[in-house]
Amino acid sequence: MALPVPLAGFAFAGDTLDRADALRDDAEALARLWPSARVLLLDEDGRALADEAGMLSAMSGATLGGGPGASLFLGLKDGEAWFAADARHHPVDAPSRIDLRRAAAAWPAFDSGVFAMARALLHWQSATRFCSACGGAITFRRAGYIAHCTHCGKDHYPRVDPAVIVAVSDGERLLLGRQAAWPPRRYSVVAGFVEPGETLEQTVAREVLEETQVRVRHCRYLGSQPWPFPGALMLGFSAVAEPDPPQVDGELEDARWFTFGEIGAALARDGNDDGAGLLLSPSISIARALIEHWHAGMRTRRVDAPTQAETGH
């Protein structure tokens, strides 16, 4: 059986750091790395400091002074250390600040990927103020990766929430839904969080059924994307389903089957909206990659399909 073509083109899944786990317990080594390190400073809204052109402005440790302190050690790139810190603890001037979605669309893959990692970890730290077991005070250890309770001794680790996201087809059409809060005419693939005791395949079938009343027959995994808004991991699938008429009663405002031609027209008008027709997920998302993957597969199938003359029908 042929392997599925891997997904590509979405943000936060390209060139990345060596996370250098062993250094997280080595305070002396981190202190030596600090002066020449690159430090991402994020404000209370999770925005990164940027230069005049809106690109990443990562300060050096020497410029900020002192040592790593409470900064998060992210990892190494070509021997250079990268840290992240709360901008309120390092007041510096910067021409602008940029949110992660805009950075993902404009920055190189490595820069936006490091930003995503920093944002997810700093958000987890800001949300982890007290021990969930006893309510005791928290102190961060291992360069920011463990929240240790000073009262009961319990350790807490960064939270990642797994969610499936799935391109569902009946063999000819693609199932897309929309939420009421989205821009007008925007539709996307079905997604939902994994529940305790579920396999990923069970989550795919349950979420699609709950949100659209469409019955999934089988599915296969295609790829994943960290989605730090604030801390999800999107697990991408394709699925084949019954051609059931979609019905919504809950999270989605609408769900429909879209044809190959409708998806193709939406892809063609991307970035040049004419005010009519279907709008798709932004290009930084794995949702968009799943839609493009389905459309490319359908196009290949149509090109390779034998004609009536060749089949004798």
Side-chain angles (χ1 to χ4, degrees):
M1 182 176 66
L3 293 175
V5 176
L7 296 179
F10 48 89
F12 318 134
D15 188 19
T16 190
L17 291 164
D18 169 6
R19 299 196 174 213
D21 177 82
L23 289 177
R24 295 175 186 172
D25 287 316
D26 194 336
E28 291 184 0
L30 295 179
R32 289 194 300 270
L33 290 166
W34 175 258
S36 60
R38 305 287 301 280
V39 186
L40 277 72
L41 299 177
L42 274 59
D43 66 16
E44 63 273 19
D45 296 319
R47 299 176 300 174
L49 304 190
D51 61 20
E52 294 87 348
M55 304 305 286
L56 176 63
S57 177
M59 311 297 293
S60 72
T63 299
L64 295 175
S71 299
L72 254 164
F73 173 61
L74 301 176
L76 302 173
K77 176 68 172 177
D78 299 328
E80 184 177 57
W82 286 74
F83 291 83
D86 189 325
R88 291 172 292 183
H89 300 157
H90 299 277
V92 297
D93 292 327
S96 64
R97 302 184 181 203
I98 185 170
D99 65 71
L100 183 54
R101 293 179 193 269
R102 286 197 298 136
W107 288 5
F110 173 77
D111 290 359
S112 62
V114 173
F115 182 3
M117 180 182 176
R119 188 186 189 279
L121 286 166
L122 287 172
H123 181 274
W124 167 72
Q125 282 193 346
S126 69
T128 310
R129 297 299 188 186
F130 301 97
C131 176
S132 61
C134 73
I138 287 294
T139 184
F140 289 99
R141 296 181 173 179
R142 294 208 78 224
Y145 285 81
I146 290 179
H148 178 76
C149 177
T150 59
H151 183 258
C152 72
K154 182 177 177 63
D155 288 333
H156 306 266
Y157 297 88
R159 175 172 172 170
V160 177
D161 298 315
V164 300
I165 183 163
V166 54
V168 180
S169 175
D170 66 355
E172 294 294 333
R173 301 171 297 173
L174 183 66
L175 179 66
L176 300 179
R178 67 167 275 107
Q179 297 181 17
W182 290 355
R185 306 177 359 253
R186 173 166 288 173
Y187 282 74
S188 188
V189 291
V190 175
F193 288 103
V194 181
E195 293 187 352
E198 267 188 329
T199 67
L200 299 180
E201 293 81 2
Q202 288 169 341
T203 305
V204 167
R206 175 183 57 78
E207 282 289 342
V208 174
L209 186 64
E210 287 179 355
E211 295 190 12
T212 68
Q213 295 302 300
V214 171
R215 294 165 295 164
V216 167
R217 296 208 304 260
H218 58 81
C219 64
R220 66 179 182 181
Y221 173 76
L222 293 178
S224 63
Q225 179 187 35
W227 193 246
F229 302 102
L233 175 64
M234 307 305 296
L235 303 159
F237 284 80
S238 64
V240 176
E242 302 293 344
D244 300 321
Q247 303 174 51
V248 297
D249 182 21
E251 181 179 344
L252 295 181
E253 177 186 65
D254 187 30
R256 305 179 194 174
W257 291 109
F258 289 88
T259 66
F260 173 82
E262 288 172 319
I263 298 298
L267 291 170
R269 77 168 63 91
D270 186 44
N272 187 26
D273 182 21
D274 57 7
L278 172 66
L279 292 180
L280 299 175
S281 309
S283 60
I284 68 169
S285 68
I286 194 173
R288 176 58 170 270
L290 286 165
I291 294 169
E292 292 176 349
H293 183 273
W294 175 83
H295 189 263
M298 287 293 293
R299 182 173 61 243
T300 300
R301 196 180 84 179
R302 287 170 172 237
V303 169
D304 292 343
T307 65
Q308 288 187 356
E310 290 172 329
T311 61
H313 297 293

